[in-house]
Every structure is written in structure tokens, then in C-alpha cells.
Amino acid sequence: MLIRGAGTKMDWGRTPAAIDVILSTRRMNRLLAHQHGDLTATAEAGATLAGMNRTLAEHRQWLPLDPPFADRATIGGILATNDSGPLRHRFGTPRDLVIGVELVTTDGALAKAGGRVVKNVAGYDLSKLVAGSFGSLAAIVSATFKLAPLPAASKTLVIEASDFDALGRIVGAMMASQLEPLAFEIHVPDVVGAELGPPSRAGQRRPLRSSLQLRFASVAAACDAQIAQACALAPLTDCATETLQGDEEREAWETHARRIWDAPGALVRASWLPATVSAAMSELRRMAGSACIQLAGRAAIGAGLIRIDADVRAQAAVVEQLRQSALFGNVVVVRGSPDLKALVDVWGPQGDRDQVFASVKRALDPDGVLNAGRGPL
Amino acid sequence: MNPVFLAELRHVLGAGAVLQDPLELITYECDALPHLRSVPAAVVLPSSAAEVQAIVRLCAREKVPFVARGHGTGLSGGALPVSGCVVIALSRLNRILSVDIPNQRVTVEPGVTNLEITRQVAPFGYYYAPDPSSQQVCSIGGNVAENSGGAHCLKYGFTTHHVLAVEAVLPNGEMAHIGGSLVDTPGPDLVGLIVGSEGTLAIVTSITVRVLRRPETVQTLLAAFDTIDAGGLAVSDIIGSGIIPAAVEMMDALAIQAAEAAVHPGFPKSDTILIVELDGPAAEVTALFDVVQGICRRSGATTIEVAQNDEQRARIWKGRKAAFAAMGRVSPNYYVQDGVVPRTQLPQVLNRIRQLEARSGLRIGNVFHAGDGNLHPLICYDERVAGEADKAVEVAAEILSYCIEAGGSLTGEHGIGADKSAYMPQMFTPDDLALMQRVRAAFDPQRLCNPGKIFPAPRLCGEVPGPYRQHPVEEAGLAERL
């Protein structure tokens, strides 16, 4: 059995052997409660994040998540995949915001864990166990989240880095500063292998450069003050910067969210230690070979998506190199052709966690019914 | 206890690290919830993860229950021994394993104190955010077990939001590396499951946490109100205006009186005081602090004191953090309760507590994290007066029922432990508890890892929840508590 919300991630995971039943949450799409005074809300699994946030905005609140396909993706799918976007920098992933969950297990029992209050340590926090389970342990019926107030104002600083050393210096300086951005993104464009190599001769088009996007959201005066402080940091003084607001700002973030998904090729999720970003990106360039490689991710967290556009063998070679690299970890194929999935495992090695995953899976889904072998367990 | 098993423990750990002397064992009969006591069969003091693993392997083989213990500051009997158990005291696992400032990560063994992590990184301008009131003495391993919070968790979250990885010995003696310094380990969030599992799923032997950069500015104010409702209104309006303070704390008249008697913080004489702390970028804090002061004035604050420096801020927090222990100044005995209500239900629940106070004849002080609705009623009693201790227990239980009826929780930060397991069916259905038990059994099929905690045990006939009293059947040696 597969559990399906809006179907934005149907091609994720291993290729399933067989699917007998698809359980759609489409009709379970209500926002069950918005306790605005308590900054909490409960939604059914099939409610969309976007729809939920439109209602929450009536009280100037939001569930601060911005995973891919945020316009269509459902609460159940976002929690089950623990998926997130740039807002992770401030607010974390769904597991950091979920405070209660209602589940149905394969024996038909309806059970809950957590509750409706933000502070609660009664019983096991099973909402964490389903976060990242990809629907392999139980079906999510509804979930309760803590919310945040919508920021009063927002401005974004875009910084162009001349090379990976500069990129590393900027990330280091930002992390060591007392600035508190809402989001802090890094983007390494897709021509990295070809055009960030030797200096370009006259007449060639200017190489695309790596860039950073910092969004400050607070009272207006604090947005301005922090952007001024950021621009005064030593590694930034000789960088090209641009400050965006209003429609321009919104477009910049929409473009950033979309660009890696819109372009062709395989997409893999990977992590690195944030202070190693310069070395990690240089290594990524070396791995690329003839492949086009693009990266978009969270600069201070060290997590993002890498797009590999090449023939399937070259894609598989990059995935294997990423898995062998000491600088990258937790390399998971998110979007890949069946051919790629036949060459490399989608999830990669699980280490000694495997024994725990196996026993939890046996305990909750003894017949292995859920998620039809797509993984991760 | 099987002498061969004990000899094997001594062989692994050395004779000095296996305690059996009844006088030494008494030290470990309870944690900071002293009315629940049970002397363990033995206490072991491992010095490394490998030793913890060896101990657990032996216990698993011999089917001997084991209870992990940090520094014994828990308030729910989470480290309460069970009959015939081995207590695995982790105080010697107290090394700092790595401090990585550029990546804002620190890895420590479980016996390191919460505050020591901050001490390690403070010279670089960093700190570890969760700040339980016991942070000077409590262990980080215990914080992981209980998912500890603190006054500042309204904005910064709990232990679960700051732990990146744990190395854990599973109840079968196998080692598992869960989470990682690199984020996004694929699969279910096992770190989130283990943090807050009260030592029932595994024993953690190393912990990697994220440390935070100190905020640019901190501003703290103390506002006095004539009624608790006026203070509550101020809190609602602050949150309603879109401000998430670093901390919002309230104390009522009895708690103020006690704190004043104990540590003389110079709090204004009033019915209620509210402490509000904002932190963050200077421009933001300056703007929002004005808003907060305006809200306090409009809500009827009789005085507002703004801390002008760190010393004044420390004085305010000293008064607040001393409030529990200070109750000893105004009452011979007191019982600390920990319950949670949705924040908007605070006035209603506090009124019910006031009525209960009048009806029961026991004074009840209230100290609470108003921002997240976490109540800490302090129930005063005199154990020399016949029946008062029992009455205090009944009052504490009734307050919990108010919390559940208001849509809240049995515990916000102290844990269920052995203390509140009997109340779990008030909050969770049999199906809810059965699902949790299945998860537990996946980790610990033999039920050896900290048994008797979280889940309601089938109780002996005629037993009431609350502080432990030996059942007549036990007294007569006819039954023993497992």
C-alpha cells in the first residue's frame, strides 16, 4: 500500500515491486483547529500547506515551512518526508514544529501521541518517529503544529561570491556574527564544472558565480540595520551585493525554490559541515567531470540538493563519489530515473541504525505492507 | 543477586566501580523526587561507552533490569531503581569529546553538566540554549532522557531541538549511532524518539549538540500587577502582537513572598509579577521592548522595572529560579507539580486552582512559564499534621485533571517517570499507550531498560497514585514491586 497526498513525491524512493492499493488523503483536507491565541493549529493529513497558511494568515500567523512544491504539497506528505526549504535556517524541519500526531497502524488502531500544547513531555514523541518515515510505519491522519507570527517586514540581501574561498569566508563570517536571518541560502550554478575553472579569456561570457541569499524578517528598522551590518562584514566589502524587497524579493525566492527542480537531471539530497563549504564545493566540482552540477541549500546548516545532469552512468558515478567523500554525507537520491535507481541505492548505507529501523518496522508493520518497499525501511 | 554475574561486573569494571555496600547503595535509592525510594541490588560506575555496553550485555544475558542515572536531579523518579536492578551511574562519563566552534557543535559524554557545555563555548561567544533551573548540576544525559526545557524554551525549544546525534547502547547491548554531525540522516527521526524517552529505549553514551551564538542584545523587565488576570492579559497581548519573547515567567503572591524570604531579589510587593525577556538583534529588541512595556502599562502594571545591566537581570532571574526551593521558607513541606495548559486557558485553570486552594485549606503558590502554559503549582503542607501529606497529593492530582480537561498535558518538563505513570490513561487511550508500548518492545523486548516508568503498571489492589507508600502486602513480604 502507498499513502498519497497531492502526489508531489510519487517518484521518490526505491522503485516499488508492486502496488495493490493507493490510499489517498485527498478528502481528508480540513484544517481542524487554529488556536491563534496559543499559536497552534491542527490539520488533516491531506490539507495543503498553502491552503493552511492562507487561513492562518487571517490572524497574521503561519506554519513556517517552505518545502518544494509548497503550493500543492500536503501536511501528511511534508511530515512523512520531513521535507523543508530555506526557512529551515530559523524554524527547523517539520519534526521541530510538530507537537502532536494522530496515526493509524496496519492493525487498524487509531492512536495519538503528543498533544495540542507546545510544551509536553508525556509519553513517547511518535510524531518524530513518523517524520522521515516516508509512510513506512503508519498512516498520518492529522498533525498539530506550533506556529509563528508572520514577520512585519522582510528584506533580502543577495551576495555574489568571486570563488569558493570567498564563499567559505562569507559563510564563516555570517555564522560567527550575531545577525539573525530568517533564511541563509547558497546557490552554486549548473555550469560549475565548465565555467568556474580557469579564468575566462576576453570575449567569453562572464562565468556564473556562486551566490548567497540572506532574508531578514523583523520590524523594518531591524531588517535595514542587519543588512547594513552584514554588508560591513570583512569578506563582503568587495563583493557585489543587491538588496531586494517587495515583488523583487518574492520573485528571487520563488526562482531560488524552483530553479533546481525545473532543470533536467537527477536530484540528490546531501549534507556537509557548514564550515567546510569551500572545500566541499571544490570537491563537488572535481567530481562533476563532464556532468553539469548545480547545488542549492542551507548555508549555515550544511544541507541541500545537488542536481546532476549527465548520462545515467555519470550520474551514478557522482552519487558514488559523494557517498565515498569525507566531506559529504547522507546522500539520498530524490529524483532519479529507474535506470539510475537500478545502478545506485536510493537511500545509501544506514550504518548501525539499520537494526533499530528493522525492529521498529517489524513492530509497527510486521507484514511490510506500507510504502511497498520504497524505503527507507 | 547472582554472585557470578556480580563477579563478571567486577571483572569488566574493576572492584571499585561496583557498589554493593548497603550504605553506599542508599545514595542511589531515589532521585530528586525523594518520596519514591527503592534500593538497587547494585550500582555500577562505568568510565567508558565500552564499559556501559559490557554492563548492558551482561544484564541482557542474565535478564537483570537496569536503570541509567545521571546526576539524580530528576523530579519524576525517572532514575528510581526497581527491585533487584543494577543502577548504571554515568557520572564518570564526563569528558568533553569535541568543541567545534566553526560548525557550532559540541560532543560530550552524558555525565557532563548542562552548564559545562556553555562554559566550554562561552569564551567564543556561544551558549547551549536549553536551561533547566538545575542546569548547574543536572547532566546532559539526563536532559536527553527527559527532553529538558527551561525558562527560555518558549523561543529556543527543548533538548530535542538542539541534539544532533547520540551514540546509544541498545537494551540488547548493541551500539547504535543515531543522527549525526551531518544533518538529515535518512529515515525516521530516531534522535527525536530517544530524546524524552526517559531512559526506557537506550542508554546514550555520547551526545552531539548544537550551540548558539549569543544574541546581540538582551532586555529584561519585571512588571507587577494587582491581579493574576491582569498579568495574564499582558501575556496574551504580547503574544497576540506577534512577539515571541525569549522568556515570559509569572509568579503569584505566595511565590513572591517565598523568593523574597530566601534570596531577597527585591521584587515589588504585589499579587503577581511578570518577567519578560527579549533577545536578538539590537534594532529588533529595542523596537519590541517598547511595545512590551506599553502592553504591560495598558494591562494595568503597577510598576515596571527594566534591568539596566547584567547584574540587575541576574537578580531578577535569581528570584525566579530560586522560587521552588524558597517555598521551604514559608511552608514546612511542599509538593511541586508540573502540568501544561494551552496558554489561553491559563486564567480559567488558575481560577480553578484558587478555588481548590480555598476548598482544601492548603496554600498553593504558582510559578509558571506563562508563555507556553507550563504551570508549576507549589502545594504547601505540613507532614506533622495528620492527613495533610495525603491531601497535598490529592490536590496535586486534581490540578493535573484540570490541565487535561483544558486540553493540556500531564507534564511539560519534569517527565512522567515513576511519579505520574498512573495518570497516563487520563491523557492517552489504551490504543495510544499500546502503540507506544509496541515501539518500546521494538527496542527492549525483555523490558529490562528502566522498567516501571512512563507506562501505567498493573497496580496492587487498593493502591492510590502519588508518593510511594509501601503497600500492606509488600510490608508483609507477600509481594514485591517489579
Side-chain angles (χ1 to χ4, degrees):
Chain A
M1 174 189 280
L2 283 192
I3 303 159
R4 178 192 161 109
T8 59
K9 308 172 183 71
M10 289 306 277
D11 56 341
W12 293 21
R14 295 188 188 115
T15 308
I19 301 167
D20 295 325
V21 177
I22 291 182
L23 190 160
S24 170
T25 59
R26 198 168 59 190
R27 292 186 183 172
M28 295 163 55
N29 58 4
R30 288 170 301 169
L31 179 63
L32 296 175
H34 177 201
Q35 274 96 11
H36 57 88
D38 299 320
L39 279 163
T40 63
T42 306
E44 288 183 318
T48 64
L49 172 67
M52 183 171 172
N53 270 334
R54 274 193 293 277
T55 309
L56 302 182
E58 290 167 15
H59 290 276
R60 294 206 50 77
Q61 294 177 359
W62 62 335
L63 175 58
L65 292 170
D66 56 353
F69 323 109
D71 55 333
R72 288 177 292 140
T74 62
I75 292 301
I78 292 167
L79 178 58
T81 54
N82 197 34
D83 205 14
S84 62
L87 288 171
R88 177 180 186 174
H89 176 83
R90 169 76 63 86
F91 298 103
T93 61
R95 63 83 74 189
D96 294 302
L97 296 165
V98 66
I99 56 173
V101 74
E102 200 176 11
L103 306 169
V104 168
T105 45
T106 51
D107 59 351
L110 179 65
K112 68 175 184 302
R116 288 201 291 124
V117 283
V118 296
K119 196 170 184 184
N120 176 11
V121 294
Y124 292 154
D125 191 352
L126 301 184
S127 61
K128 304 290 191 285
L129 190 64
V130 292
S133 71
F134 283 72
S136 305
L137 295 175
I140 299 167
V141 174
S142 68
T144 303
F145 296 89
K146 62 178 171 185
L147 307 175
L150 277 169
S154 172
K155 274 190 186 177
T156 291
L157 180 66
V158 183
I159 307 157
E160 209 174 82
S162 52
D163 54 28
F164 291 147
D165 284 344
L167 188 73
R169 283 195 301 275
I170 296 166
V171 171
M174 286 294 173
M175 286 179 69
S177 78
Q178 290 171 312
L179 296 166
E180 297 188 11
L182 194 72
F184 180 15
E185 289 286 295
I186 163 181
H187 179 246
V188 179
D190 61 348
V191 283
V192 61
E195 295 200 17
L196 277 186
S200 56
R201 287 197 303 271
Q204 281 188 325
R205 70 189 173 97
R206 187 168 161 264
L208 282 172
R209 285 177 166 177
S210 303
S211 61
L212 294 145
Q213 272 184 209
L214 285 109
R215 182 176 170 200
F216 294 96
S218 179
V219 294
C223 295
D224 292 335
Q226 291 192 87
I227 283 181
Q229 275 173 281
C231 290
L233 290 173
L236 263 82
T237 46
D238 53 357
C239 287
T241 63
E242 194 180 0
T243 302
L244 306 175
Q245 57 183 317
D247 288 346
E248 263 189 340
E249 184 188 19
R250 199 169 48 250
E251 277 162 30
W253 284 103
E254 279 169 12
T255 303
H256 178 69
R258 228 182 24 241
R259 57 187 160 192
I260 201 157
W261 288 94
D262 284 354
L267 280 179
V268 300
R269 191 183 269 174
S271 315
W272 61 91
L273 284 172
T276 67
V277 64
S278 167
M281 295 310 124
S282 301
E283 183 155 305
L284 186 61
R285 180 166 61 190
R286 277 196 300 277
M287 287 174 198
S290 62
C292 267
I293 285 200
Q294 178 185 14
L295 178 142
R298 325 288 88 87
I301 288 171
L305 284 170
I306 298 169
R307 186 173 63 86
I308 311 163
D309 189 13
D311 68 70
V312 70
R313 296 211 166 270
Q315 286 178 350
V318 174
V319 172
E320 293 298 351
Q321 286 183 76
L322 281 166
R323 285 193 174 145
Q324 280 155 26
S325 161
L327 289 167
F328 289 95
N330 302 329
V331 178
V332 171
V333 176
V334 173
R335 181 179 76 188
S337 63
D339 289 346
L340 176 62
K341 291 180 182 183
L343 288 172
V344 294
D345 182 54
V346 165
W347 301 101
Q350 292 283 20
D352 56 16
R353 287 180 288 281
D354 218 19
Q355 52 184 328
V356 183
F357 286 162
S359 56
V360 171
K361 176 76 174 173
R362 264 196 312 276
L364 295 192
D365 179 19
D367 299 323
V369 167
L370 290 175
N371 209 21
R374 293 200 306 163
L377 72 167
Chain B
M1 184 158 264
N2 178 352
V4 177
F5 170 70
L6 284 167
E8 284 183 280
L9 284 177
R10 278 193 296 270
H11 176 72
V12 169
L13 302 170
V18 181
L19 309 183
Q20 279 181 272
D21 178 342
L23 284 176
E24 287 181 306
L25 295 181
I26 281 182
T27 309
Y28 298 88
E29 68 175 353
C30 66
D31 55 18
L33 188 76
H35 62 247
L36 296 185
R37 291 167 196 266
S38 167
V39 179
V43 174
V44 290
L45 301 165
S47 300
S48 68
E51 289 184 358
V52 174
Q53 187 178 21
I55 295 161
V56 172
R57 279 196 170 134
L58 284 172
C59 289
R61 194 194 70 197
E62 296 297 317
K63 303 193 182 354
V64 173
F66 51 92
V67 176
R69 179 186 168 104
H71 294 168
T73 60
L75 290 166
S76 59
L80 178 73
V82 293
S83 173
C85 84
V86 170
V87 165
I88 304 175
L90 298 162
S91 46
R92 292 184 184 176
L93 269 84
N94 59 358
R95 285 167 289 244
I96 308 287
L97 300 177
S98 92
V99 175
D100 179 356
I101 294 298
N103 288 304
Q104 306 178 344
R105 283 146 167 81
V106 174
T107 302
V108 297
E109 290 184 327
V112 169
T113 62
N114 170 296
L115 198 58
E116 182 58 27
I117 299 176
T118 291
R119 281 202 202 99
Q120 292 286 326
V121 298
F124 307 96
Y126 289 80
Y127 73 112
Y128 176 63
D131 61 339
S133 293
S134 55
Q135 68 182 139
Q136 296 194 22
V137 287
C138 64
S139 72
I140 188 71
N143 289 181
V144 166
E146 301 296 326
N147 189 18
S148 303
H152 292 83
C153 58
L154 174 63
K155 180 170 176 184
Y156 291 102
F158 315 99
T159 303
T160 190
H161 298 111
H162 301 271
V163 174
L164 290 165
V166 295
E167 177 191 76
V169 176
L170 302 173
N172 62 4
E174 292 298 313
M175 206 69 134
H177 294 78
I178 291 168
S181 255
L182 299 178
V183 300
D184 292 343
T185 316
D189 177 18
L190 294 179
V191 169
L193 178 67
I194 286 177
V195 174
S197 63
E198 307 198 24
T200 62
L201 299 180
I203 298 180
V204 300
T205 48
S206 94
I207 300 143
T208 301
V209 299
R210 209 192 308 261
V211 289
L212 301 184
R213 188 75 174 89
R214 283 250 172 243
E216 190 179 22
T217 311
V218 183
Q219 288 274 25
T220 311
L221 68 74
L222 182 90
F225 296 88
D226 285 336
T227 65
I228 210 151
D229 286 350
L233 178 67
V235 176
S236 285
D237 286 354
I238 290 167
I239 306 271
S241 68
I243 299 171
I244 303 288
V248 185
E249 302 283 302
M250 274 175 95
M251 293 168 70
D252 74 356
L254 185 58
I256 297 166
Q257 185 197 336
E260 207 53 58
V263 296
H264 322 295
F267 287 165
K269 283 193 177 48
S270 55
D271 184 78
T272 301
I273 59 165
L274 182 64
I275 299 167
V276 185
E277 187 160 285
L278 300 186
D279 68 13
E284 177 180 297
V285 172
T286 305
L288 298 183
F289 203 60
D290 281 347
V291 177
V292 169
Q293 290 189 62
I295 289 171
C296 287
R297 271 192 295 274
R298 280 197 300 282
S299 308
T302 50
T303 60
I304 296 176
E305 285 175 29
V306 175
Q308 300 300 327
N309 50 45
D310 286 345
E311 196 185 319
Q312 291 183 10
R313 183 171 9 267
R315 177 179 59 77
I316 291 174
W317 280 111
K318 190 176 169 193
R320 163 60 187 89
K321 291 200 173 185
F324 285 9
M327 291 311 281
R329 299 293 185 118
V330 295
S331 173
N333 305 92
Y334 64 96
Y335 189 97
V336 182
Q337 187 54 288
D338 167 43
V340 190
V341 298
R343 204 181 43 71
T344 47
Q345 302 296 313
L346 269 176
Q348 181 253 114
V349 171
L350 288 169
N351 274 330
R352 290 187 79 180
I353 294 175
R354 285 272 184 269
Q355 288 163 22
L356 176 65
E357 184 177 29
R359 201 165 64 235
S360 69
L362 297 183
R363 289 186 300 167
I364 304 174
N366 279 293
V367 178
F368 48 98
H369 308 299
D372 44 30
N374 187 191
L375 299 166
H376 290 307
L378 301 150
I379 301 145
C380 299
Y381 67 96
D382 185 343
E383 65 181 4
R384 295 163 303 187
V385 178
E388 273 212 351
D390 288 340
K391 199 189 275 182
V393 173
E394 285 163 24
V395 164
E398 186 152 348
I399 292 173
L400 279 188
S401 70
Y402 300 165
C403 294
I404 299 299
E405 283 164 28
S409 171
L410 294 169
T411 170
E413 54 189 4
H414 296 174
I416 295 293
D419 189 34
K420 292 184 176 175
S421 58
Y423 302 118
M424 284 290 273
Q426 288 189 23
M427 186 167 165
F428 294 106
T429 67
D431 281 347
D432 301 343
L433 293 170
L435 179 57
M436 292 181 197
Q437 289 276 24
R438 280 161 76 180
V439 172
R440 176 181 197 170
F443 281 78
D444 181 21
Q446 302 196 91
R447 293 171 179 269
L448 297 176
C449 191
N450 205 14
K453 316 293 151 51
I454 303 180
F455 299 102
R459 283 183 170 257
L460 296 170
C461 181
E463 196 177 352
V464 293
Y468 169 69
R469 262 172 252 89
Q470 213 176 30
H471 190 278
V473 191
E474 287 177 282
E475 246 165 16
L478 297 171
E480 66 179 347
R481 193 170 295 258
L482 294 173

